[in-house]
Amino acid sequence: LQAPPLVIGMGPAGLFAAYLLAKNGYRPLIVDRGEPVDKRVASVERFRTDGVLDPESNIQFGAGGAGTFSDGKLVTRIHDPRCRFVLETLHAFGAPDGILTLAKPHIGTDILRVVVNRMLSEIERLGGSVRYRTRVTDLRETTDGCVAAKTVDGEILCGAAVLAIGHSARDTYRTLIDRGYAIEAKPISVGVRAEHLQQDIDRALYGSFAGHPDLGHAEYALSDTRRERGVYTFCMCPGGEVVAAASEEGGVVTNGMSRYARDGRNGNSAIAVSVLPEDIGKDWKKAIEFQRMIERSAFRAGGNDYSAPVETLGDFLSGKTSRFTEPSRVVPTYMNGKYRLCDIGGIFPGFVTDMLKKGFRRFGGMIKGFDMPEAVLTGAETRTSSPVRIPRNDGFTTSKVGNLYPCGEGAGYAGGITSAAVDGIRTAIMVIGNN
């Protein structure tokens, strides 16, 4: 390479790409628009307590990516042998021993933050550089085959650029289109966060063994694909909380988070409905606007102050539009209870609301009590995956610039911590092999 490689984004894909490049002597520069872990935690806490959103550093952006504020699940459906390398690397940097042996390994947000810090420190020790608050605003090819990345702090000239921007970097997608790169719409899902008492889930799934110390808290993964589109649970967080995951002003977005102990009162998961490209005109811009429309609708329904729209499942299934039931047995965890009761189905298009109702009724037949009236729904869940795919060739580069490497979940090639990390590894191998 004529200049060190640049890795854009510090989520799992970018983190592992930079780590592998550093281990092989490439001295990468890794940048992120957000902050280091400790400052990022403070920004997220300020939003949770005071409603002050930092659009550059939040649950979506910053060191560790969106996974830093999650359950830290490492379960994946891919069968790549590099998954073992991911687990062993995370373990070496402080993840619990259990991730090497458990069928459903998780780290927990509290421990994952430590792991991220240690990996970034190791990248620096190996000769790499780490830079925060460095949002990339433009990318262009130079005449000598390098890539020039314009940032808020000036231009960076790099021999190759790994584009690991995550699923919420909507402005970066626009920049790529303006520069002539191809971007395709891909299927997405939207829905709500459902909360139940964790002890009810434990009893429903473990029966008389509920509470046994060797079992831990029960988890579930449910789906119904019998109809024209699917509805499924996503990112179940045992003993966790629903968190405020907005990255744009004027929108309400939810996600789930658990600490390693998973000792919270409630369990939660996303209940998501498939949205196909043909539903929104097979246009990536319309896909993002579809997400944004729901997020802004949730913001208005919550009272325009980042309170979340909330409804009990009993009211939702009965079709109530007034005199809502105040949650009692299951208490919402979003922003320490900052919510507003409303018709939560009203924030979605009709086909999403209809499928959510069908899904809850179906899942109630799979797990006893899943459709209990006291369960609580919080909206809106819109960032389950990237709405776009950035096409890449067999060498993992774009067709326009030979040294730009779309990578990870934000480029449409992963979904979850482990698969994103694996794609980061594969991309780094391509950078090394091509240079």
Side-chain angles (χ1 to χ4, degrees), residues 292-326:
R292 187 176 281 141
M293 173 193 69
I294 293 171
E295 293 163 12
R296 290 176 175 172
S297 179
F299 182 75
R300 291 191 298 270
N304 299 305
D305 64 354
Y306 296 107
S307 296
V310 162
E311 188 175 19
T312 64
L313 182 54
D315 285 356
F316 176 67
L317 292 179
S318 68
K320 275 193 176 183
T321 56
S322 62
R323 298 183 66 182
F324 299 103
T325 305
E326 184 70 39

Side-chain angles (χ1 to χ4, degrees), residues 354-376:
D354 290 344
M355 284 300 297
L356 285 173
K357 290 181 177 180
K358 291 174 181 176
F360 275 108
R361 293 188 175 106
R362 173 71 168 167
F363 299 155
M366 298 177 180
I367 296 178
K368 183 179 180 181
F370 195 87
D371 56 350
M372 65 175 62
E374 300 90 350
V376 168

Side-chain angles (χ1 to χ4, degrees), residues 52-304:
V52 178
L53 174 66
D54 182 346
E56 295 298 308
S57 188
N58 43 63
I59 280 184
Q60 307 296 350
F61 302 137
T68 304
F69 294 87
S70 69
D71 185 55
K73 288 181 184 61
L74 303 176
V75 177
T76 181
R77 294 178 182 176
I78 68 172
H79 301 287
D80 191 301
R82 298 175 186 88
C83 290
R84 187 65 187 180
F85 176 78
V86 172
L87 296 179
E88 290 175 349
T89 300
L90 294 172
H91 179 256
F93 286 106
D97 294 343
I99 72 167
L100 299 178
T101 56
L102 294 174
K104 296 180 179 180
H106 82 284
I107 300 178
T109 183
D110 47 343
I111 298 178
L112 186 54
R113 296 168 189 177
V114 176
V115 173
V116 168
N117 268 337
R118 289 176 177 173
M119 285 193 70
L120 288 166
S121 294
E122 179 65 5
I123 289 168
E124 290 182 304
R125 190 192 72 79
L126 292 168
S129 302
V130 180
R131 195 181 299 176
Y132 303 101
R133 287 285 186 182
T134 307
R135 175 167 51 87
V136 172
T137 59
D138 197 9
L139 290 161
R140 62 179 179 83
E141 182 181 16
T142 65
T143 55
D144 57 0
C146 291
V147 176
K150 183 178 180 181
T151 78
V152 293
D153 289 331
E155 191 168 82
I156 299 170
L157 188 67
C158 56
V162 176
L163 197 63
I165 56 177
H167 60 40
S168 293
R170 294 165 172 172
D171 51 354
T172 309
Y173 299 144
R174 168 58 66 183
T175 296
L176 292 171
I177 282 291
D178 290 345
R179 275 292 178 182
Y181 303 105
I183 292 183
E184 304 168 348
K186 58 181 284 292
I188 58 173
S189 300
V190 298
V192 297
R193 276 274 154 183
E195 292 190 89
H196 298 80
L197 290 183
Q198 185 61 48
Q199 64 182 17
D200 290 344
I201 298 296
D202 292 346
R203 280 196 296 263
L205 294 178
Y206 291 157
S208 61
F209 293 100
H212 193 288
D214 290 341
L215 286 176
H217 286 309
E219 302 177 60
Y220 57 78
L222 308 172
S223 66
D224 182 4
T225 57
R226 298 174 302 162
R227 301 176 180 85
E228 68 281 1
R229 67 182 73 247
V231 56
Y232 63 99
T233 67
F234 174 79
C235 187
M236 195 267 163
C237 296
E241 62 187 275
V242 177
V243 295
S247 59
E248 294 180 346
E249 294 179 347
V252 166
V253 181
T254 61
N255 199 0
M257 183 178 79
S258 297
R259 291 164 179 80
Y260 180 68
R262 291 177 163 177
D263 55 1
R265 177 180 170 87
N266 293 354
N268 73 77
S269 70
I271 314 297
V273 174
S274 301
V275 180
L276 307 177
E278 47 265 36
D279 293 326
I280 42 184
K282 298 183 179 180
D283 184 331
W284 72 270
K285 295 184 292 297
K286 291 181 180 178
I288 290 176
E289 283 307 313
F290 183 82
Q291 291 176 317
R292 187 176 281 141
M293 173 193 69
I294 293 171
E295 293 163 12
R296 290 176 175 172
S297 179
F299 182 75
R300 291 191 298 270
N304 299 305

